[in-house]
PDB file of all heavy atoms in Angstrom:
ATOM      1  N   LEU H  43      -6.200   7.530 -12.806  1.00  0.00           N
ATOM      2  CA  LEU H  43      -4.997   7.671 -13.643  1.00  0.00           C
ATOM      3  C   LEU H  43      -3.796   7.022 -12.974  1.00  0.00           C
ATOM      4  O   LEU H  43      -3.053   6.232 -13.569  1.00  0.00           O
ATOM      5  CB  LEU H  43      -4.733   9.160 -13.863  1.00  0.00           C
ATOM      6  CG  LEU H  43      -4.442   9.619 -15.278  1.00  0.00           C
ATOM      7  CD1 LEU H  43      -5.622   9.359 -16.187  1.00  0.00           C
ATOM      8  CD2 LEU H  43      -4.119  11.110 -15.263  1.00  0.00           C
ATOM      9  N   THR H  44      -3.591   7.358 -11.704  1.00  0.00           N
ATOM     10  CA  THR H  44      -2.461   6.809 -10.964  1.00  0.00           C
ATOM     11  C   THR H  44      -2.645   5.305 -10.765  1.00  0.00           C
ATOM     12  O   THR H  44      -1.702   4.529 -10.937  1.00  0.00           O
ATOM     13  CB  THR H  44      -2.353   7.476  -9.588  1.00  0.00           C
ATOM     14  OG1 THR H  44      -2.701   8.836  -9.721  1.00  0.00           O
ATOM     15  CG2 THR H  44      -0.965   7.344  -8.996  1.00  0.00           C
ATOM     16  N   LEU H  45      -3.866   4.933 -10.381  1.00  0.00           N
ATOM     17  CA  LEU H  45      -4.104   3.512 -10.093  1.00  0.00           C
ATOM     18  C   LEU H  45      -3.922   2.662 -11.342  1.00  0.00           C
ATOM     19  O   LEU H  45      -3.423   1.521 -11.243  1.00  0.00           O
ATOM     20  CB  LEU H  45      -5.513   3.316  -9.514  1.00  0.00           C
ATOM     21  CG  LEU H  45      -5.722   3.923  -8.124  1.00  0.00           C
ATOM     22  CD1 LEU H  45      -7.200   3.867  -7.736  1.00  0.00           C
ATOM     23  CD2 LEU H  45      -4.863   3.210  -7.078  1.00  0.00           C
ATOM     24  N   SER H  46      -4.302   3.190 -12.471  1.00  0.00           N
ATOM     25  CA  SER H  46      -4.128   2.369 -13.676  1.00  0.00           C
ATOM     26  C   SER H  46      -2.663   2.340 -14.077  1.00  0.00           C
ATOM     27  O   SER H  46      -2.178   1.336 -14.595  1.00  0.00           O
ATOM     28  CB  SER H  46      -5.048   2.830 -14.797  1.00  0.00           C
ATOM     29  OG  SER H  46      -4.493   3.937 -15.456  1.00  0.00           O
ATOM     30  N   ALA H  47      -1.938   3.442 -13.810  1.00  0.00           N
ATOM     31  CA  ALA H  47      -0.510   3.434 -14.100  1.00  0.00           C
ATOM     32  C   ALA H  47       0.198   2.392 -13.230  1.00  0.00           C
ATOM     33  O   ALA H  47       1.215   1.817 -13.612  1.00  0.00           O
ATOM     34  CB  ALA H  47       0.088   4.815 -13.860  1.00  0.00           C
ATOM     35  N   ARG H  48      -0.363   2.166 -12.045  1.00  0.00           N
ATOM     36  CA  ARG H  48       0.258   1.167 -11.141  1.00  0.00           C
ATOM     37  C   ARG H  48      -0.384  -0.206 -11.301  1.00  0.00           C
ATOM     38  O   ARG H  48      -0.154  -1.105 -10.488  1.00  0.00           O
ATOM     39  CB  ARG H  48       0.117   1.651  -9.697  1.00  0.00           C
ATOM     40  CG  ARG H  48       0.917   2.923  -9.500  1.00  0.00           C
ATOM     41  CD  ARG H  48       0.855   3.422  -8.098  1.00  0.00           C
ATOM     42  NE  ARG H  48       1.419   2.452  -7.168  1.00  0.00           N
ATOM     43  CZ  ARG H  48       1.778   2.750  -5.931  1.00  0.00           C
ATOM     44  NH1 ARG H  48       1.644   3.967  -5.490  1.00  0.00           N
ATOM     45  NH2 ARG H  48       2.249   1.810  -5.139  1.00  0.00           N
ATOM     46  N   ASN H  49      -1.199  -0.300 -12.339  1.00  0.00           N
ATOM     47  CA  ASN H  49      -1.815  -1.578 -12.674  1.00  0.00           C
ATOM     48  C   ASN H  49      -2.713  -2.155 -11.582  1.00  0.00           C
ATOM     49  O   ASN H  49      -2.828  -3.350 -11.421  1.00  0.00           O
ATOM     50  CB  ASN H  49      -0.715  -2.582 -13.065  1.00  0.00           C
ATOM     51  CG  ASN H  49      -1.284  -3.784 -13.810  1.00  0.00           C
ATOM     52  OD1 ASN H  49      -2.318  -3.643 -14.468  1.00  0.00           O
ATOM     53  ND2 ASN H  49      -0.647  -4.928 -13.675  1.00  0.00           N
ATOM     54  N   LEU H  50      -3.359  -1.283 -10.835  1.00  0.00           N
ATOM     55  CA  LEU H  50      -4.291  -1.746  -9.807  1.00  0.00           C
ATOM     56  C   LEU H  50      -5.729  -1.717 -10.333  1.00  0.00           C
ATOM     57  O   LEU H  50      -6.567  -2.483  -9.873  1.00  0.00           O
ATOM     58  CB  LEU H  50      -4.174  -0.879  -8.555  1.00  0.00           C
ATOM     59  CG  LEU H  50      -2.794  -0.966  -7.871  1.00  0.00           C
ATOM     60  CD1 LEU H  50      -2.682   0.064  -6.758  1.00  0.00           C
ATOM     61  CD2 LEU H  50      -2.531  -2.352  -7.332  1.00  0.00           C
ATOM     62  N   VAL H  51      -5.988  -0.836 -11.270  1.00  0.00           N
ATOM     63  CA  VAL H  51      -7.302  -0.853 -11.905  1.00  0.00           C
ATOM     64  C   VAL H  51      -7.146  -0.738 -13.416  1.00  0.00           C
ATOM     65  O   VAL H  51      -6.103  -0.311 -13.901  1.00  0.00           O
ATOM     66  CB  VAL H  51      -8.216   0.326 -11.441  1.00  0.00           C
ATOM     67  CG1 VAL H  51      -8.390   0.361  -9.946  1.00  0.00           C
ATOM     68  CG2 VAL H  51      -7.706   1.649 -11.946  1.00  0.00           C
ATOM     69  N   LYS H  52      -8.201  -1.148 -14.078  1.00  0.00           N
ATOM     70  CA  LYS H  52      -8.223  -0.975 -15.528  1.00  0.00           C
ATOM     71  C   LYS H  52      -9.345   0.012 -15.841  1.00  0.00           C
ATOM     72  O   LYS H  52     -10.413  -0.044 -15.222  1.00  0.00           O
ATOM     73  CB  LYS H  52      -8.516  -2.318 -16.178  1.00  0.00           C
ATOM     74  CG  LYS H  52      -7.913  -2.464 -17.544  1.00  0.00           C
ATOM     75  CD  LYS H  52      -8.044  -3.896 -18.039  1.00  0.00           C
ATOM     76  CE  LYS H  52      -8.327  -3.920 -19.525  1.00  0.00           C
ATOM     77  NZ  LYS H  52      -7.529  -3.030 -20.341  1.00  0.00           N
ATOM     78  N   VAL H  53      -9.075   0.955 -16.731  1.00  0.00           N
ATOM     79  CA  VAL H  53     -10.111   1.931 -17.081  1.00  0.00           C
ATOM     80  C   VAL H  53     -10.744   1.538 -18.405  1.00  0.00           C
ATOM     81  O   VAL H  53     -10.038   1.373 -19.399  1.00  0.00           O
ATOM     82  CB  VAL H  53      -9.510   3.347 -17.189  1.00  0.00           C
ATOM     83  CG1 VAL H  53     -10.610   4.371 -17.475  1.00  0.00           C
ATOM     84  CG2 VAL H  53      -8.760   3.714 -15.915  1.00  0.00           C
ATOM     85  N   HIS H  54     -12.047   1.305 -18.387  1.00  0.00           N
ATOM     86  CA  HIS H  54     -12.745   1.004 -19.640  1.00  0.00           C
ATOM     87  C   HIS H  54     -13.457   2.258 -20.111  1.00  0.00           C
ATOM     88  O   HIS H  54     -14.167   2.889 -19.330  1.00  0.00           O
ATOM     89  CB  HIS H  54     -13.819  -0.088 -19.422  1.00  0.00           C
ATOM     90  CG  HIS H  54     -13.245  -1.356 -18.862  1.00  0.00           C
ATOM     91  ND1 HIS H  54     -12.583  -2.266 -19.646  1.00  0.00           N
ATOM     92  CD2 HIS H  54     -13.210  -1.841 -17.600  1.00  0.00           C
ATOM     93  CE1 HIS H  54     -12.194  -3.283 -18.887  1.00  0.00           C
ATOM     94  NE2 HIS H  54     -12.550  -3.045 -17.628  1.00  0.00           N
ATOM     95  N   GLU H  55     -13.242   2.573 -21.346  1.00  0.00           N
ATOM     96  CA  GLU H  55     -13.878   3.781 -21.880  1.00  0.00           C
ATOM     97  C   GLU H  55     -14.862   3.406 -22.968  1.00  0.00           C
ATOM     98  O   GLU H  55     -14.525   2.653 -23.866  1.00  0.00           O
ATOM     99  CB  GLU H  55     -12.814   4.679 -22.512  1.00  0.00           C
ATOM    100  CG  GLU H  55     -12.365   5.770 -21.590  1.00  0.00           C
ATOM    101  CD  GLU H  55     -11.406   6.708 -22.295  1.00  0.00           C
ATOM    102  OE1 GLU H  55     -11.411   6.738 -23.537  1.00  0.00           O
ATOM    103  OE2 GLU H  55     -10.659   7.372 -21.591  1.00  0.00           O
ATOM    104  N   ARG H  56     -16.034   3.964 -22.877  1.00  0.00           N
ATOM    105  CA  ARG H  56     -17.004   3.742 -23.953  1.00  0.00           C
ATOM    106  C   ARG H  56     -17.684   5.045 -24.295  1.00  0.00           C
ATOM    107  O   ARG H  56     -17.903   5.895 -23.431  1.00  0.00           O
ATOM    108  CB  ARG H  56     -18.047   2.719 -23.532  1.00  0.00           C
ATOM    109  CG  ARG H  56     -17.747   1.339 -24.169  1.00  0.00           C
ATOM    110  CD  ARG H  56     -18.668   0.311 -23.625  1.00  0.00           C
ATOM    111  NE  ARG H  56     -18.613   0.280 -22.178  1.00  0.00           N
ATOM    112  CZ  ARG H  56     -19.665   0.015 -21.410  1.00  0.00           C
ATOM    113  NH1 ARG H  56     -20.842  -0.191 -21.963  1.00  0.00           N
ATOM    114  NH2 ARG H  56     -19.554  -0.011 -20.100  1.00  0.00           N
ATOM    115  N   LYS H  57     -17.993   5.184 -25.552  1.00  0.00           N
ATOM    116  CA  LYS H  57     -18.687   6.416 -25.968  1.00  0.00           C
ATOM    117  C   LYS H  57     -20.178   6.156 -25.964  1.00  0.00           C
ATOM    118  O   LYS H  57     -20.643   5.199 -26.547  1.00  0.00           O
ATOM    119  CB  LYS H  57     -18.219   6.827 -27.354  1.00  0.00           C
ATOM    120  CG  LYS H  57     -16.762   7.269 -27.338  1.00  0.00           C
ATOM    121  CD  LYS H  57     -16.485   8.296 -28.414  1.00  0.00           C
ATOM    122  CE  LYS H  57     -15.147   8.953 -28.187  1.00  0.00           C
ATOM    123  NZ  LYS H  57     -14.083   8.238 -28.854  1.00  0.00           N
ATOM    124  N   TRP H  58     -20.898   7.001 -25.312  1.00  0.00           N
ATOM    125  CA  TRP H  58     -22.359   6.878 -25.233  1.00  0.00           C
ATOM    126  C   TRP H  58     -23.016   8.064 -25.895  1.00  0.00           C
ATOM    127  O   TRP H  58     -22.585   9.200 -25.733  1.00  0.00           O
ATOM    128  CB  TRP H  58     -22.817   6.871 -23.759  1.00  0.00           C
ATOM    129  CG  TRP H  58     -22.648   5.561 -23.076  1.00  0.00           C
ATOM    130  CD1 TRP H  58     -22.171   4.404 -23.609  1.00  0.00           C
ATOM    131  CD2 TRP H  58     -22.980   5.281 -21.718  1.00  0.00           C
ATOM    132  NE1 TRP H  58     -22.168   3.415 -22.673  1.00  0.00           N
ATOM    133  CE2 TRP H  58     -22.675   3.924 -21.489  1.00  0.00           C
ATOM    134  CE3 TRP H  58     -23.506   6.032 -20.671  1.00  0.00           C
ATOM    135  CZ2 TRP H  58     -22.868   3.308 -20.272  1.00  0.00           C
ATOM    136  CZ3 TRP H  58     -23.701   5.425 -19.456  1.00  0.00           C
ATOM    137  CH2 TRP H  58     -23.388   4.061 -19.249  1.00  0.00           C
ATOM    138  N   ASN H  59     -24.114   7.768 -26.613  1.00  0.00           N
ATOM    139  CA  ASN H  59     -24.952   8.872 -27.100  1.00  0.00           C
ATOM    140  C   ASN H  59     -25.971   9.168 -26.017  1.00  0.00           C
ATOM    141  O   ASN H  59     -26.690   8.259 -25.583  1.00  0.00           O
ATOM    142  CB  ASN H  59     -25.682   8.466 -28.363  1.00  0.00           C
ATOM    143  CG  ASN H  59     -24.733   8.481 -29.551  1.00  0.00           C
ATOM    144  OD1 ASN H  59     -23.883   9.369 -29.639  1.00  0.00           O
ATOM    145  ND2 ASN H  59     -24.862   7.509 -30.433  1.00  0.00           N
ATOM    146  N   VAL H  60     -26.017  10.386 -25.586  1.00  0.00           N
ATOM    147  CA  VAL H  60     -26.990  10.741 -24.563  1.00  0.00           C
ATOM    148  C   VAL H  60     -27.875  11.883 -25.042  1.00  0.00           C
ATOM    149  O   VAL H  60     -27.468  12.701 -25.869  1.00  0.00           O
ATOM    150  CB  VAL H  60     -26.322  11.137 -23.229  1.00  0.00           C
ATOM    151  CG1 VAL H  60     -25.510  10.004 -22.661  1.00  0.00           C
ATOM    152  CG2 VAL H  60     -25.465  12.365 -23.404  1.00  0.00           C
ATOM    153  N   ALA H  61     -29.099  11.891 -24.542  1.00  0.00           N
ATOM    154  CA  ALA H  61     -30.041  12.945 -24.913  1.00  0.00           C
ATOM    155  C   ALA H  61     -30.327  13.788 -23.688  1.00  0.00           C
ATOM    156  O   ALA H  61     -30.456  13.269 -22.579  1.00  0.00           O
ATOM    157  CB  ALA H  61     -31.329  12.318 -25.429  1.00  0.00           C
ATOM    158  N   THR H  62     -30.375  15.097 -23.893  1.00  0.00           N
ATOM    159  CA  THR H  62     -30.758  16.009 -22.797  1.00  0.00           C
ATOM    160  C   THR H  62     -31.859  16.934 -23.326  1.00  0.00           C
ATOM    161  O   THR H  62     -31.969  17.133 -24.530  1.00  0.00           O
ATOM    162  CB  THR H  62     -29.571  16.885 -22.334  1.00  0.00           C
ATOM    163  OG1 THR H  62     -28.957  17.429 -23.507  1.00  0.00           O
ATOM    164  CG2 THR H  62     -28.554  16.108 -21.555  1.00  0.00           C
ATOM    165  N   LEU H  63     -32.637  17.491 -22.407  1.00  0.00           N
ATOM    166  CA  LEU H  63     -33.689  18.411 -22.825  1.00  0.00           C
ATOM    167  C   LEU H  63     -33.127  19.800 -22.978  1.00  0.00           C
ATOM    168  O   LEU H  63     -32.276  20.211 -22.185  1.00  0.00           O
ATOM    169  CB  LEU H  63     -34.799  18.455 -21.758  1.00  0.00           C
ATOM    170  CG  LEU H  63     -35.571  17.152 -21.525  1.00  0.00           C
ATOM    171  CD1 LEU H  63     -36.644  17.381 -20.468  1.00  0.00           C
ATOM    172  CD2 LEU H  63     -36.202  16.667 -22.822  1.00  0.00           C
ATOM    173  N   ASN H  64     -33.591  20.516 -23.991  1.00  0.00           N
ATOM    174  CA  ASN H  64     -33.234  21.926 -24.045  1.00  0.00           C
ATOM    175  C   ASN H  64     -34.273  22.696 -23.217  1.00  0.00           C
ATOM    176  O   ASN H  64     -35.143  22.103 -22.577  1.00  0.00           O
ATOM    177  CB  ASN H  64     -33.124  22.414 -25.488  1.00  0.00           C
ATOM    178  CG  ASN H  64     -34.430  22.268 -26.248  1.00  0.00           C
ATOM    179  OD1 ASN H  64     -35.501  22.183 -25.639  1.00  0.00           O
ATOM    180  ND2 ASN H  64     -34.357  22.232 -27.552  1.00  0.00           N
ATOM    181  N   GLU H  65     -34.154  24.033 -23.249  1.00  0.00           N
ATOM    182  CA  GLU H  65     -34.994  24.834 -22.378  1.00  0.00           C
ATOM    183  C   GLU H  65     -36.479  24.573 -22.632  1.00  0.00           C
ATOM    184  O   GLU H  65     -37.264  24.393 -21.705  1.00  0.00           O
ATOM    185  CB  GLU H  65     -34.660  26.307 -22.632  1.00  0.00           C
ATOM    186  CG  GLU H  65     -34.830  27.139 -21.383  1.00  0.00           C
ATOM    187  CD  GLU H  65     -34.550  28.595 -21.711  1.00  0.00           C
ATOM    188  OE1 GLU H  65     -33.489  28.876 -22.267  1.00  0.00           O
ATOM    189  OE2 GLU H  65     -35.427  29.435 -21.411  1.00  0.00           O
ATOM    190  N   GLU H  66     -36.833  24.537 -23.932  1.00  0.00           N
ATOM    191  CA  GLU H  66     -38.230  24.324 -24.274  1.00  0.00           C
ATOM    192  C   GLU H  66     -38.689  22.941 -23.816  1.00  0.00           C
ATOM    193  O   GLU H  66     -39.794  22.780 -23.278  1.00  0.00           O
ATOM    194  CB  GLU H  66     -38.387  24.485 -25.795  1.00  0.00           C
ATOM    195  CG  GLU H  66     -39.833  24.640 -26.212  1.00  0.00           C
ATOM    196  CD  GLU H  66     -39.979  24.879 -27.710  1.00  0.00           C
ATOM    197  OE1 GLU H  66     -38.945  25.018 -28.398  1.00  0.00           O
ATOM    198  OE2 GLU H  66     -41.122  24.873 -28.179  1.00  0.00           O
ATOM    199  N   GLY H  67     -37.812  21.948 -24.002  1.00  0.00           N
ATOM    200  CA  GLY H  67     -38.120  20.591 -23.571  1.00  0.00           C
ATOM    201  C   GLY H  67     -38.383  20.530 -22.082  1.00  0.00           C
ATOM    202  O   GLY H  67     -39.330  19.880 -21.615  1.00  0.00           O
ATOM    203  N   GLU H  68     -37.555  21.218 -21.311  1.00  0.00           N
ATOM    204  CA  GLU H  68     -37.733  21.227 -19.849  1.00  0.00           C
ATOM    205  C   GLU H  68     -39.036  21.882 -19.457  1.00  0.00           C
ATOM    206  O   GLU H  68     -39.754  21.415 -18.564  1.00  0.00           O
ATOM    207  CB  GLU H  68     -36.571  21.978 -19.191  1.00  0.00           C
ATOM    208  CG  GLU H  68     -35.330  21.133 -19.127  1.00  0.00           C
ATOM    209  CD  GLU H  68     -34.264  21.719 -18.211  1.00  0.00           C
ATOM    210  OE1 GLU H  68     -34.488  22.807 -17.640  1.00  0.00           O
ATOM    211  OE2 GLU H  68     -33.222  21.062 -18.081  1.00  0.00           O
ATOM    212  N   ASN H  69     -39.337  22.946 -20.185  1.00  0.00           N
ATOM    213  CA  ASN H  69     -40.578  23.658 -19.929  1.00  0.00           C
ATOM    214  C   ASN H  69     -41.792  22.730 -20.149  1.00  0.00           C
ATOM    215  O   ASN H  69     -42.687  22.632 -19.324  1.00  0.00           O
ATOM    216  CB  ASN H  69     -40.608  24.852 -20.892  1.00  0.00           C
ATOM    217  CG  ASN H  69     -41.699  25.834 -20.539  1.00  0.00           C
ATOM    218  OD1 ASN H  69     -42.668  25.468 -19.898  1.00  0.00           O
ATOM    219  ND2 ASN H  69     -41.542  27.061 -20.967  1.00  0.00           N
ATOM    220  N   TYR H  70     -41.781  22.011 -21.283  1.00  0.00           N
ATOM    221  CA  TYR H  70     -42.880  21.100 -21.601  1.00  0.00           C
ATOM    222  C   TYR H  70     -42.939  19.953 -20.587  1.00  0.00           C
ATOM    223  O   TYR H  70     -44.015  19.467 -20.238  1.00  0.00           O
ATOM    224  CB  TYR H  70     -42.724  20.508 -23.007  1.00  0.00           C
ATOM    225  CG  TYR H  70     -42.971  21.506 -24.121  1.00  0.00           C
ATOM    226  CD1 TYR H  70     -42.761  21.145 -25.441  1.00  0.00           C
ATOM    227  CD2 TYR H  70     -43.432  22.793 -23.850  1.00  0.00           C
ATOM    228  CE1 TYR H  70     -42.980  22.043 -26.483  1.00  0.00           C
ATOM    229  CE2 TYR H  70     -43.662  23.688 -24.880  1.00  0.00           C
ATOM    230  CZ  TYR H  70     -43.428  23.311 -26.189  1.00  0.00           C
ATOM    231  OH  TYR H  70     -43.644  24.190 -27.200  1.00  0.00           O
ATOM    232  N   ALA H  71     -41.767  19.482 -20.152  1.00  0.00           N
ATOM    233  CA  ALA H  71     -41.740  18.386 -19.195  1.00  0.00           C
ATOM    234  C   ALA H  71     -42.439  18.811 -17.908  1.00  0.00           C
ATOM    235  O   ALA H  71     -43.106  18.027 -17.237  1.00  0.00           O
ATOM    236  CB  ALA H  71     -40.303  17.955 -18.927  1.00  0.00           C
ATOM    237  N   GLN H  72     -42.263  20.074 -17.550  1.00  0.00           N
ATOM    238  CA  GLN H  72     -42.867  20.558 -16.306  1.00  0.00           C
ATOM    239  C   GLN H  72     -44.349  20.873 -16.439  1.00  0.00           C
ATOM    240  O   GLN H  72     -45.136  20.560 -15.578  1.00  0.00           O
ATOM    241  CB  GLN H  72     -42.134  21.802 -15.825  1.00  0.00           C
ATOM    242  CG  GLN H  72     -40.861  21.469 -15.083  1.00  0.00           C
ATOM    243  CD  GLN H  72     -40.031  22.704 -14.864  1.00  0.00           C
ATOM    244  OE1 GLN H  72     -39.421  23.205 -15.782  1.00  0.00           O
ATOM    245  NE2 GLN H  72     -40.050  23.211 -13.640  1.00  0.00           N
ATOM    246  N   TYR H  73     -44.740  21.543 -17.561  1.00  0.00           N
ATOM    247  CA  TYR H  73     -46.114  22.017 -17.681  1.00  0.00           C
ATOM    248  C   TYR H  73     -46.975  21.218 -18.652  1.00  0.00           C
ATOM    249  O   TYR H  73     -48.133  21.518 -18.812  1.00  0.00           O
ATOM    250  CB  TYR H  73     -46.113  23.496 -18.082  1.00  0.00           C
ATOM    251  CG  TYR H  73     -45.342  24.343 -17.106  1.00  0.00           C
ATOM    252  CD1 TYR H  73     -44.100  24.859 -17.451  1.00  0.00           C
ATOM    253  CD2 TYR H  73     -45.837  24.553 -15.822  1.00  0.00           C
ATOM    254  CE1 TYR H  73     -43.362  25.610 -16.542  1.00  0.00           C
ATOM    255  CE2 TYR H  73     -45.108  25.291 -14.900  1.00  0.00           C
ATOM    256  CZ  TYR H  73     -43.882  25.822 -15.268  1.00  0.00           C
ATOM    257  OH  TYR H  73     -43.149  26.533 -14.367  1.00  0.00           O
ATOM    258  N   GLY H  74     -46.380  20.214 -19.316  1.00  0.00           N
ATOM    259  CA  GLY H  74     -47.136  19.422 -20.284  1.00  0.00           C
ATOM    260  C   GLY H  74     -46.929  19.919 -21.690  1.00  0.00           C
ATOM    261  O   GLY H  74     -46.666  21.111 -21.895  1.00  0.00           O
ATOM    262  N   LEU H  75     -47.067  19.017 -22.652  1.00  0.00           N
ATOM    263  CA  LEU H  75     -46.964  19.415 -24.053  1.00  0.00           C
ATOM    264  C   LEU H  75     -48.127  20.363 -24.361  1.00  0.00           C
ATOM    265  O   LEU H  75     -49.213  20.206 -23.780  1.00  0.00           O
ATOM    266  CB  LEU H  75     -47.035  18.193 -24.958  1.00  0.00           C
ATOM    267  CG  LEU H  75     -45.794  17.280 -24.956  1.00  0.00           C
ATOM    268  CD1 LEU H  75     -46.053  16.023 -25.785  1.00  0.00           C
ATOM    269  CD2 LEU H  75     -44.566  18.006 -25.458  1.00  0.00           C
TER     270      LEU H  75
END
Side-chain angles (χ1 to χ4, degrees):
L43 227 62
T44 324
L45 292 171
S46 81
R48 295 182 62 163
N49 197 27
L50 296 172
V51 304
K52 209 170 143 45
V53 183
H54 303 281
E55 262 185 21
R56 258 173 305 146
K57 292 209 167 90
W58 280 0
N59 284 321
V60 299
T62 47
L63 296 182
N64 61 21
E65 211 183 307
E66 195 177 355
E68 282 193 358
N69 192 336
Y70 289 175
Q72 278 169 286
Y73 303 107
L75 288 174

